[in-house]
Amino acid sequence: MAYKLLDGKDLARRMKEAMKLEIRSMAEEGIVPGLAVVIVGNDPASRIYVNNKKKDCEEVGIRSFEYALPEETSEDQLLGLIDALNQDPAIDGILVQLPIPKHLDEAKVIRRIRHDKDVDAFHPYNTGELMIGRPVFAPCTPAGVMELLKDAGIEVAGKNCVVVGRSNIVGKPMSMLMLHANATVTVCHSKTKDLKEVCRQADILIVAIGKADFITGDYVREGAVVIDVGMNRREDGKLTGDVDFESVSKKASAITPVPGGVGPMTRAMLLKNTIKACNMHKKNKLS
Ligand code: NDP
């Protein structure tokens, strides 16, 4: 079966072009969106993510502010920084790059971010608003998947959607967004029985488990749409998803590549959330 490649890289590029124009017209009113990126410690993967986020901001015209704190930063110091950023009118979005070192309480740190600056949408306020179907900010990865489906003209309403993975940042919010888009949603996890059989019921299969090439063609119904959120490093250093592209693409009607699928969409949605936050703060920024 010929499949359609869901090209997140291309859609992210188009979204960034539109955002550039939007930011240019905001600048004419004297408004510049600002994103604070906080990184604690020396995790090399986190460093790459933070650098990418800064680069994306620069590309579209968002001002980014990096706060690189040492590994031994105390919780009070980190919370103090967040309090200051919460007050700062130049900052519209605050992102604390996860994971943070173990001696810091991640839940407490996330709760400290003002919810109207929580562009990652991990604060329980935003999680709650998402749950009741009125998201202010939606978490970037699931929101990016929704954009990708919409752009490709893939109908969600009435479809059987199976989400594999139930993390707070991907699986759970993903299932909520699909539910609000009127899909019939099944959420799977490591204790799910007969995963293969459940996946085969999916019209839309979304996989976020963190296991390289785990979902093979025999998990997929002929003609299904397959979204691969996974980002895993192979031994040779190459990036690979949770879906075995080779066998699954033979059955899918549409599929995301890794890299170039969901990853670039996640990055684009962070920019979109920051612009949204800026528009919410417009009055304060001008006064
Ligand atoms: P987590 O480790 O937090 O969650 C993994 C989920 O997968 C858990 O719910 C777990 O079940 C489930 N799971 C693990 N193994 C199996 C299995 N064999 N069968 C069924 N379910 C299983 O991961 P994340 O949600 O944070 O990330 C998932 C993947 O997505 C990773 O590869 C990550 O790198 C990637 N990612 C990509 C992003 C992007 O921009 N493209 C952004 C964020 C993440 P249980 O709850 O029972 O343990």
Side-chain angles (χ1 to χ4, degrees), residues 49 140-141 164-171 188-192 195 207-212 214-215 228-232 240-242 258 261-267:
Y49 294 139
C140 300
T141 301
V164 192
R166 57 172 165 183
S167 70
N168 290 333
I169 64 167
V170 187
C188 301
H189 45 77
S190 65
K191 306 288 185 294
T192 298
L195 181 66
V207 189
I209 57 177
K211 299 222 154 86
F214 183 90
I215 298 290
D228 186 357
V229 178
M231 287 204 303
N232 313 290
T240 188
D242 291 343
V258 177
V262 176
M265 292 305 299
T266 300
R267 288 168 59 176

Side-chain angles (χ1 to χ4, degrees), residues 84-121:
L85 297 172
N86 281 340
Q87 298 302 323
D88 186 341
I91 304 292
D92 296 295
I94 303 171
L95 180 153
V96 177
Q97 184 64 47
L98 302 177
I100 51 177
K102 295 258 178 298
H103 66 279
L104 302 168
D105 181 344
E106 189 175 296
K108 195 169 170 188
V109 169
I110 290 172
R111 277 171 198 270
R112 194 68 161 245
I113 298 171
R114 233 170 75 175
H115 62 73
D116 61 332
K117 294 193 175 189
D118 171 40
V119 285
D120 256 342

